[in-house]
């Protein structure tokens, strides 16, 4: 077999395939760029769900209270408040980092010659 470069150990030395351990074969860094997603869409969807649940729990507060589940309203309200805080943080972070959200088609168009 032809000697192969072994970048896993950082020396750049040449070793045969038999000398490469299973660990070095298994833990190889994929040549893929990391995602640049900030999670703002996820925060927004979750917050909207919690707001809808809080409104529904408000209108059903009497039956929920009778069943001993009146705390569901407060869980939904606290989830909505935490979601609003997360959205605010995400917007501030996006502005601070100067990121703009690009779609997959925009990214693909940039790669075309």
């Amino acid at each position: 077999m032809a000697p192969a470069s072994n970048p896993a150990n950082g020396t750049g030395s040449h070793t045969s395939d038999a000398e490469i351990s299973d660990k070095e074969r298994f833990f190889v860094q994929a040549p893929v760029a990391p995602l640049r997603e900030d999670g703002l869409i996820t925060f927004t969807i979750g917050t909207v769900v919690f707001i809808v649940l809080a409104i529904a729990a408000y209108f059903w507060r009497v039956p929920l209270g009778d069943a001993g589940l009146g705390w569901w309203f407060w869980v939904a309200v606290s989830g909505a408040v935490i979601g609003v805080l997360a959205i605010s943080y995400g917007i501030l972070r996006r502005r601070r980092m100067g990121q703009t959200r690009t779609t997959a088609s925009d990214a693909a168009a940039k790669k075309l010659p």
Side-chain angles (χ1 to χ4, degrees):
M1 292 228 142
S5 176
N6 187 1
N9 63 11
T11 63
S13 64
H14 296 290
T15 59
S16 68
D17 286 340
E19 294 175 3
I20 298 174
S21 70
D22 289 336
K23 182 179 179 183
E24 290 172 347
R25 282 191 184 131
F26 186 71
F27 295 111
V28 177
Q29 180 68 36
V32 178
L35 292 176
R36 303 283 300 182
E37 184 61 39
D38 55 5
L40 199 56
I41 293 174
T42 306
F43 293 146
T44 305
I45 292 170
T47 303
V48 168
V49 168
F50 272 114
I51 290 171
V52 169
L53 291 174
I55 291 170
Y58 177 76
F59 287 115
W60 286 76
R61 67 185 178 276
V62 174
L64 286 173
D66 292 342
L69 300 173
W71 56 272
W72 283 11
F73 171 73
W74 296 109
V75 169
V77 169
S78 62
V81 169
I82 291 171
V84 168
L85 293 174
I87 290 170
S88 302
Y89 172 75
I91 290 171
L92 291 174
R93 182 175 181 266
R94 183 183 279 183
R95 286 183 187 164
R96 189 175 346 125
M97 295 181 76
Q99 293 178 348
T100 58
R101 187 174 176 273
T102 60
T103 61
S105 61
D106 293 340
K110 289 179 184 178
K111 291 182 181 181
L112 294 177

